[in-house]
């Protein structure tokens, strides 16, 4: 095998492995990570509520608890979580040393040093001592607006 073909094959297999584990780690409530469609208008991300809906393999309509939004060239996604009384939006950047947090079960967890945060961004376990950056959200019948300012 040529060296260039070996490198391509190795990179492709590695990418599939990373995608598979990322889907597992970012999965919330047994569903894989979902990057939502959005529009950006004057420092506001507008996410249709329909982005939380999906159809299972057996045809049932279900609701996602969490979607991710990654605007443009932003280094970190924003997690938009559905609570019983509304939505919260958190930047998925750990306040300890800046690693990207992951969704693990019922919390965000930092793979670098073990900090854990609630879906509202509060610190559950350190070493982080500051909550995740959050954004104001407003919803109406059809959309959730994340204010980036």
């Amino acid at each position: 095998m040529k060296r260039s073909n070996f490198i391509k094959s190795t990179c492709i297999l590695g990418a599939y492995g990373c995608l598979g584990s990322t889907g597992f780690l970012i999965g919330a409530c047994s569903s894989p990570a979902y990057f939502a469609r959005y529009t950006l208008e004057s420092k506001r991300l507008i996410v249709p509520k329909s982005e939380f809906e999906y159809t299972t393999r057996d045809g049932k309509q279900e609701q996602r608890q969490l979607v991710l939004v990654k605007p443009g060239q932003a280094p970190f996604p924003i997690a938009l979580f559905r609570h019983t009384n509304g939505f919260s939006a958190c930047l998925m950047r750990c306040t300890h040393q800046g690693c990207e947090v992951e969704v693990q079960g019922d919390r965000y967890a930092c793979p670098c040093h073990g900090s854990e945060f609630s879906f509202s961004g509060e610190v559950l376990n350190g070493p982080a001592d500051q909550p995740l950056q959050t954004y104001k959200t407003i919803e109406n019948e059809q959309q959730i607006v994340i204010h980036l300012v």
Side-chain angles (χ1 to χ4, degrees):
M1 178 182 276
K2 289 184 178 178
R3 182 176 186 267
S4 61
N5 289 342
F6 173 77
I7 292 171
K8 285 180 192 175
S9 298
T10 304
C11 290
I12 289 171
L13 288 174
Y16 282 125
C18 288
L19 289 173
S21 63
T22 301
F24 172 74
L25 292 174
I26 298 181
C29 303
S30 302
S31 60
Y34 178 76
F35 283 86
R37 291 179 302 113
Y38 66 91
T39 54
L40 178 61
E41 293 179 7
S42 180
K43 300 201 182 217
R44 298 180 312 151
L45 291 171
I46 301 168
V47 180
K49 283 188 174 179
S50 61
E51 290 297 289
F52 283 86
E53 301 167 0
Y54 69 99
T55 304
T56 63
R57 289 183 182 166
D58 60 355
K60 294 166 86 177
Q61 291 293 315
E62 297 286 339
Q63 293 284 320
R64 292 181 175 90
Q65 287 293 125
L66 178 132
V67 299
L68 302 177
V69 181
K70 190 164 183 192
Q73 299 299 315
F76 298 96
I78 296 171
L80 184 58
F81 186 82
R82 177 193 300 269
H83 299 275
T84 55
N85 60 348
F87 294 86
S88 62
C90 296
L91 184 65
M92 295 186 72
R93 181 183 182 273
C94 183
T95 55
H96 176 237
Q97 289 190 354
C99 294
E100 186 172 328
V101 297
E102 303 167 338
V103 176
Q104 290 186 355
D106 63 348
R107 63 192 61 211
Y108 301 117
C110 180
C112 296
H113 300 103
S115 294
E116 296 178 328
F117 304 88
S118 73
F119 284 133
S120 296
E122 293 97 14
V123 176
L124 299 174
N125 290 305
D129 59 4
Q130 296 294 312
L132 295 177
Q133 179 178 344
T134 58
Y135 301 96
K136 179 180 176 182
T137 61
I138 296 176
E139 66 176 294
N140 62 33
E141 299 243 346
Q142 295 155 345
Q143 59 194 19
I144 304 106
V145 179
I146 304 169
H147 292 266
L148 300 176
V149 182

